[in-house]
Amino acid sequence: MKYLFATSNASKFNEISEIFNDIGLELEHCEIEIEELQSDSFEEIALHSARKAYEQLGKPVFVEDAGISVDSLEGFPGPFTKYVFYTIGIAGLLKLLEGVSDRKAEYTSVLAYTDGNQEKVFKGSCRGSIAREYRGDGGWGWDPVFIPEGEDFTFGENYSSKKEHSHRSKSARALADWLKTNG
């Protein structure tokens, strides 16, 4: 059985697909337009999007909402990460953090699944910090500036480590394990 992942982000699909493949599950990319709920809750956004995707597809589906939250910016950008990335980008975030010594941050991934009757939410997080400059050209999104806790590299410098450490790998493994038992 193939599981539907509704996302317009091919990089997200590739990351989660690789994790599913490792567990022996097939993933199908479903690119549909879903109006994103504006909220300060990753869970609320993901559940709303999963419901909307199910309405369009009429099949079991899951979606992801993810973002990076910087402690010294009181959790900003959080659920507004995509907007911030496409407006001020990494350079803008680094500018906001100029002169800031506390660069701790957390990547969060929330996967919401629905089959029309049952809804499940799977959350993964990865603590770390924001580098002072771009480091590495691997990965995508914030990877060149995110240093996982306990490491000295960014995901941009060591993209293969993302599969082990990342927020997305944790939420995807939890969903895949649940689907193997319940799907």
Side-chain angles (χ1 to χ4, degrees), residues 11 15 136-144 155-160 162:
S11 296
E15 274 188 35
D137 56 7
W140 56 280
W142 305 98
D143 291 347
F155 283 145
E157 292 171 303
N158 187 347
Y159 184 66
S160 63
K162 196 170 180 186

Side-chain angles (χ1 to χ4, degrees), residues 13-27:
F13 175 79
N14 291 337
E15 274 188 35
I16 292 178
S17 184
E18 193 174 311
I19 291 162
F20 270 51
N21 287 339
D22 288 349
I23 295 173
L25 299 176
E26 274 191 87
L27 198 56

